[in-house]
Amino acid sequence: MRPRTPRTTWLAAAVAGATAVAATALAGTPVAARPVVAAPVAAAVAAPNIALANVKAHLSQFQSIATANGGNRAHGRPGYLASVNYVKAQLDAVGYTTTVQSFTYNGATGYNLIADWPGGDPNAVVMTGAHLDSVTAGPGINDNGSGSAAILEVALTVARTGFAPDRHLRFGWWGAEELGLRGSQYYVNNLPAAERTRIKQYLNFDMVGSPNAGYFVYDGDNSDGVGAGPGPAGSAQIEQTIQAYFTSIGVPTRGTDFDGRSDYGPFISVGIPAGGTFTGAEGIKSSAQASLWGGTAGQAFDPCYHRSCDTTTNINDTALDRNADAIAYTVWTLAQVATPPPGTTVYSDTFETATGWTTNPAGTDTATAGQWERGDPEATSSSGIATQLGTTVSGSYDLVTGRLAGSSAGDYDLDGGVSTIQSPAITLPSTGTLTLSFAWYLAHLNNSSSADYLRVRVVGTGTVTALNVAGAATNRAASWQSASVNISTLRGQTVRIVIDAADASTASLVEAAVDDVRIVQS
């Protein structure tokens, strides 16, 4: 991890860039007021346990390389190139396509190593990275042999298990991070615009075995309400996925800012969602943190940060093991698209073409602006809080309340009352289990109340309410979630899906969207 730089310097370059490229950045609310967010969809193939012994074997190799090359693995030094060659040989042996990308900084040649796992959607890349260089003062085993070794072992486990994800997997090991993120910046700068859009999420792991460890997760939605602000839209999903893993093993986490000290910086500056974990550098562990995680209060998370003592003895095995497993869980989860329920598709609409949905079908709507429409949505935000997403679950179109952005967030939001949109008639089969699934979000500011809502019903002779979410006097950022409900009580009927959204509070800002509606028979 690079040394601290003045926050204002980095914000001008990175956060402003992220705002220009991805105005849909998610910001959250104070922790106490955060809405409940649906847990990530369980991976179709569960993530395997990552063997700690294997990760530590890679660290031993990095230590041996440093010892044989002047005590470090720094940019422009022989120990760094030897480290690249070691990682490359491991990946080549199991079937990765590897590329060594060279660049020049401070008169010396640096190298990035990129490894692609065959298969997966090339237009939907999940990339995982770590910097491979050390400072000149030491071998850099925690900073950042730990992250490099952990993602290497995750990549090798992908191959050993024959994992065949829906999305394309890419791994990167960066050079010259310690000199100002030079390798990752070079990589991002030289990506064609089309290639940048294919990287849907970037996961960064820098210092994941600190001896006096904390358990920090990059604050993708700025839910702590302080610091450098959120990452681009999609960063919150990464944060929530990582948190879900640590929650499953009973380890509390805390947010850490995107403060520009590691290789996520170049990615978020061009609007690529990012996230990851961090166990602490030269910062001092507080008494509260020691009570939360154990360890020694009043001591640095890593007392050997950027020193010659950052060797294989400078590793907390428990923290390294937990983080390696968290990396695998996150990669496996994000790389797999939720599998639709098995069975016969009765009805499906991704809204990429017009299929006959009708607005205000009963002629009773009261909304005066921002009514439901099928459209290509434009991103909106207010005070850093994403109120409408410019991205859909699939394709370019969804059902959305007022698809345009306007000059301010409130220009096209739902106003004045209720807006309704209704599907064409759907004839349901008379046998089997019938399941309705769809993606949705409801976003509002803290001027909302429980009078505002998003509701989805299936209406025939009877009615099944599939979703009924009320507003509240809190900030709720737009974030795609999934819903699934059994509608078998309507078998044999001709039904319509009816979606209502209401802005019934005074002067509240409300936005809603629905995508990928599907009914299956099983």
Side-chain angles (χ1 to χ4, degrees):
M1 176 164 284
R2 64 182 296 210
R4 291 192 182 275
T5 55
R7 176 168 286 168
T8 53
T9 300
W10 183 79
L11 286 177
V15 171
T19 301
V21 177
T24 57
L26 292 175
T29 60
V31 172
R34 290 180 71 189
V36 176
V37 179
V41 177
V45 177
N49 178 69
I50 301 300
L52 174 63
N54 293 351
V55 179
K56 295 192 69 177
H58 301 314
L59 292 181
S60 294
Q61 290 294 325
F62 293 149
Q63 178 68 66
S64 296
I65 287 169
T67 300
N69 290 279
N72 66 68
R73 300 178 302 103
H75 168 72
R77 305 296 179 91
Y80 180 72
L81 182 56
S83 299
V84 171
N85 290 337
Y86 169 74
V87 175
K88 184 178 186 301
Q90 297 288 309
L91 297 164
D92 288 342
V94 297
Y96 278 83
T97 300
T98 59
T99 303
V100 177
Q101 181 184 51
S102 63
F103 60 93
T104 301
Y105 183 71
N106 273 358
T109 301
Y111 303 95
N112 294 324
L113 174 63
I114 310 301
D116 285 272
W117 181 240
D121 183 354
N123 293 312
V125 176
V126 175
M127 186 169 191
T128 304
H131 78 86
L132 187 54
D133 64 315
S134 74
V135 294
T136 56
I141 299 306
N142 184 40
D143 184 17
N144 181 39
S146 61
S148 291
I151 72 166
L152 172 58
E153 189 55 31
V154 168
L156 297 177
T157 304
V158 167
R160 291 190 195 106
T161 60
F163 182 39
D166 301 295
R167 296 186 170 100
H168 182 75
L169 292 183
R170 180 174 299 157
F171 294 84
W173 288 262
W174 311 118
E177 185 269 359
E178 298 290 4
L179 301 179
L181 319 182
R182 303 298 172 176
S184 57
Q185 187 70 68
Y186 183 86
Y187 174 78
V188 171
N189 285 352
N190 286 276
L191 277 176
E195 289 300 318
R196 287 181 182 176
T197 64
R198 292 185 175 105
I199 300 176
K200 301 306 181 185
Q201 289 163 316
Y202 171 71
L203 314 176
N204 191 75
F205 300 96
D206 188 352
M207 302 183 68
V208 296
S210 301
N212 193 26
Y215 292 88
F216 298 101
V217 179
Y218 289 115
D219 192 11
D221 60 1
N222 200 34
S223 54
D224 65 6
V226 299
S235 301
Q237 183 192 20
I238 301 172
E239 179 187 12
Q240 292 158 10
T241 303
I242 295 171
Q243 287 172 332
Y245 174 75
F246 280 107
T247 298
S248 75
I249 62 171
V251 175
T253 61
R254 292 294 182 265
T256 186
D257 287 336
F258 285 122
D259 61 2
R261 295 187 65 189
S262 195
D263 293 295
Y264 52 76
F267 289 87
I268 66 174
S269 72
V270 297
I272 296 172
T277 63
F278 170 54
T279 55
E282 79 278 28
I284 304 300
K285 179 176 278 188
S286 68
S287 297
Q289 289 168 332
S291 297
L292 190 66
W293 296 315
T296 306
Q299 179 177 298
F301 292 100
D302 183 357
C304 288
Y305 174 70
H306 285 188
R307 298 175 59 194
S308 60
C309 57
D310 187 9
T311 65
T312 51
T313 62
N314 189 48
I315 290 291
N316 180 322
D317 284 0
T318 299
L320 182 64
D321 190 25
R322 288 170 172 171
N323 276 275
D325 288 337
I327 295 168
Y329 177 88
T330 306
V331 169
W332 257 253
T333 300
L334 296 180
Q336 295 183 88
V337 178
T339 303
T344 302
T345 298
V346 175
Y347 175 82
S348 178
D349 201 340
T350 62
F351 306 107
E352 294 308 293
T353 59
T355 57
W357 287 69
T358 305
T359 56
N360 193 13
T364 57
D365 286 359
T366 56
T368 57
Q371 293 93 339
W372 282 107
E373 60 181 310
R374 170 190 162 268
D376 184 354
E378 297 180 356
T380 65
S381 62
S382 177
S383 301
I385 298 169
T387 52
Q388 182 166 289
L389 298 180
T391 54
T392 63
V393 176
S394 65
S396 301
Y397 287 76
D398 59 7
L399 297 181
V400 63
T401 53
R403 72 171 190 86
L404 297 177
S407 59
S408 67
D411 282 352
Y412 292 97
D413 77 307
L414 182 63
D415 279 327
V418 178
S419 178
T420 308
I421 192 165
Q422 177 179 278
S423 74
I426 304 166
T427 301
L428 298 179
S430 58
T431 60
T433 299
L434 303 179
T435 303
L436 167 70
S437 61
F438 55 93
W440 64 276
Y441 68 76
L442 173 68
H444 51 71
L445 300 185
N446 57 14
N447 54 9
S448 178
S449 77
S450 59
D452 303 329
Y453 64 82
L454 170 64
R455 182 176 61 187
V456 179
R457 294 171 294 155
V458 185
V459 180
T461 303
T463 298
V464 172
T465 300
L467 181 75
N468 194 359
V469 180
T474 60
N475 292 329
R476 178 176 186 148
S479 178
W480 284 112
Q481 301 181 54
S482 59
S484 180
V485 64
N486 188 315
I487 60 169
S488 299
T489 57
L490 303 177
R491 280 188 297 242
Q493 298 181 28
T494 296
V495 302
R496 287 176 170 83
I497 300 168
V498 180
I499 303 172
D500 305 304
D503 175 13
S505 301
T506 302
S508 57
L509 195 157
V510 176
E511 298 277 17
V514 170
D515 201 2
D516 285 14
V517 175
R518 190 166 186 255
I519 299 174
V520 297
Q521 176 194 37
S522 59

